[in-house]
Structures are given as C-alpha cells and as structure tokens.
Amino acid sequence: DAGITQSPRHKVTETGTPVTLRCHQTENHRYMYWYRQDPGHGLRLIHYSYGVKDTDKGEVSDGYSVSRSKTEDFLLTLESATSSQTSVYFCATGAVQSTGELFFGEGSRLTVL
Amino acid sequence: AQSVAQPEDQVNVAEGNPLTVKCTYSVSGNPYLFWYVQYPNRGLQFLLKYITGDNLVKGSYGFEAEFNKSQTSFHLKKPSALVSDSALYFCAVRDMGSGAGSYQLTFGKGTKLSVIP
C-alpha cells in the first residue's frame, strides 16, 4: 500500500467554477497518475508525473492541468468545470518503473451541475 | 500505442464453479500485465501481475492468470468462485517507457463479475 490520500472525497460544484483535487502519498514514489472512471469507459489516464515538476498528458487531458511541486503531492485542476467532467477521479502511485504495479487512492467523486 | 480489450462487460458464474475473465492486449516489446479488482465505492486493488517467467501467475484471494504470448492474452481465473468475488475486474498493460523515463498503464474497460449463490 502506498499510503495514498485523496481530497476531497466528494464535491458538488457548478459549471464554470475552478476545482482542485489533491493526492498525497507517503511512500516517496517518483510516479503519480490521475485517472477518471466513467461507465462504459473504464479508467482513462488524464495526466501523470514522473518527478517533481515533470508531468505529461494522458489520453483525456483536455480541460485539466496538473502540478507537482513536492514528491508527495500531485494536484489536478479543472480550470472551469463542465458537466462532462462529472466523474470519479482516482490517483495512483507506485514503483512502476521496477515492480510495475500501481496502488490507488479511494477516489474523489465530482459532480458538476 | 498499447491497448487492452476485455471482451465481456459481464460474467455470471455459479458459486463453486470455475471462473474466467478474459483479457487481450497490444503493446510493443515484452508486456507488463496486471489484474485489479474494484469493489463498490472503493479504489482499485492490485491482484496479480506478469512480468517474466512462468506463464501461470498466482495472486491474491486464490486468483491466478495465464499469460499466452501467441494469443496476446492474459485471462484471469479462479478454480472455485465465491459470492464475495463479485466485483469489477480490470486488466492493464504497462508500456516500455519513453526516453524521459515515463511509464503509462493502460486499462481495459472492466468486466463485472457476478457470482450467483
């Protein structure tokens, strides 16, 4: 277990407002990931980080930005939330470069009205 | 780009019967393959992985998976299903990494397993 904490766990917001989701890990892993889970789509990668200030886009990055100023924290920001961003967001981390597997947080459920 | 296919949205099996959840993949080079399980309102939990070695890998809760390179498959199996195995199962593949040292895991769309008492 990578000691992953996501906050907030639940959030309801209105279209056009900014939202930031936080992921915190305690295991000093280099790699961190943000996925979204939607029915019929499984998990899709939004953005990921391979070190402090090193980030890259995933499959569904439009409308999202990320920041990683410390090893332990990875922030996902929706600059102007839309209803299509209503989803469950999962953070993941692990020694993916060696052992390969990721460990996931409990998820953040976001509803955009 | 790598991809994962889980051809069945749902699998139903009677308690005590063997179960199989199917997965096929596409990736450049030797694959790193994974199975995860998700219970309602929870995050994904790692079950097992294949990196190299024996084609039959064993994991948590009595699950195992068989790697077949020629068929590019990695099916999840269990000899005797339990009602408590009912959950959503995801197959995933890791890429070979970029020059910058970044790695991505790509997931299938998931298969809902229902074990009927």
Side-chain angles (χ1 to χ4, degrees):
Chain A
D1 192 335
I4 304 168
T5 305
Q6 292 186 228
S7 60
R9 294 290 314 281
H10 301 272
K11 185 171 182 67
V12 179
T13 191
E14 294 189 350
T15 298
T17 59
V19 176
T20 295
L21 306 180
R22 179 178 181 251
C23 178
H24 179 81
Q25 57 129 336
T26 60
E27 298 295 315
N28 203 38
H29 288 302
R30 177 182 172 190
Y31 293 87
M32 298 185 76
Y33 300 78
W34 277 108
Y35 287 89
R36 61 178 288 175
Q37 182 177 19
D38 305 286
H41 292 277
L43 270 78
R44 293 179 291 175
L45 181 64
I46 305 171
H47 281 280
Y48 63 103
S49 171
Y50 47 97
V52 173
K53 299 186 178 172
D54 290 323
T55 65
D56 205 350
K57 297 179 180 180
E59 177 188 357
V60 289
S61 60
D62 287 349
Y64 301 95
S65 62
V66 290
S67 65
R68 186 140 179 235
S69 58
K70 298 185 291 184
T71 299
E72 58 266 35
D73 290 327
F74 192 33
L75 304 181
L76 177 70
T77 298
L78 292 66
E79 300 291 347
S80 177
T82 68
S83 59
S84 65
Q85 294 176 312
T86 292
S87 186
V88 181
Y89 292 86
F90 288 98
C91 176
T93 188
V96 68
Q97 75 278 23
S98 56
T99 60
E101 65 265 31
L102 290 178
F103 298 95
F104 283 78
E106 291 296 293
S108 295
R109 183 176 295 274
L110 175 67
T111 301
V112 184
L113 301 177
Chain B
Q2 72 250 31
S3 64
V4 173
Q6 294 181 241
E8 301 154 317
D9 292 336
Q10 177 143 1
V11 170
N12 297 321
V13 63
E15 186 177 22
N17 283 3
L19 69 87
T20 298
V21 182
K22 296 179 181 178
C23 171
T24 59
Y25 67 90
S26 173
V27 69
S28 299
N30 295 321
Y32 281 44
L33 295 161
F34 308 87
W35 276 102
Y36 287 82
V37 60
Q38 185 182 34
Y39 298 101
N41 300 312
R42 302 296 303 276
L44 278 70
Q45 297 178 27
F46 170 73
L47 273 180
L48 52 78
K49 67 181 177 184
Y50 172 84
I51 297 177
T52 187
D54 194 345
N55 289 344
L56 185 65
V57 294
K58 296 186 183 297
S60 306
Y61 313 121
F63 283 93
E64 56 191 26
E66 186 171 12
F67 170 66
N68 187 317
K69 187 173 183 178
S70 63
Q71 297 185 5
T72 61
S73 67
F74 189 56
H75 300 330
L76 182 70
K77 300 181 179 184
K78 188 174 183 182
S80 179
L82 300 172
V83 172
S84 58
D85 292 330
S86 298
L88 190 57
Y89 290 82
F90 289 95
C91 182
V93 63
R94 196 205 78 174
D95 68 2
M96 295 301 293
S98 72
S102 63
Y103 297 91
Q104 296 187 37
L105 262 72
T106 300
F107 286 80
K109 295 183 178 182
T111 299
K112 183 179 180 180
L113 174 67
S114 293
V115 181
I116 303 161

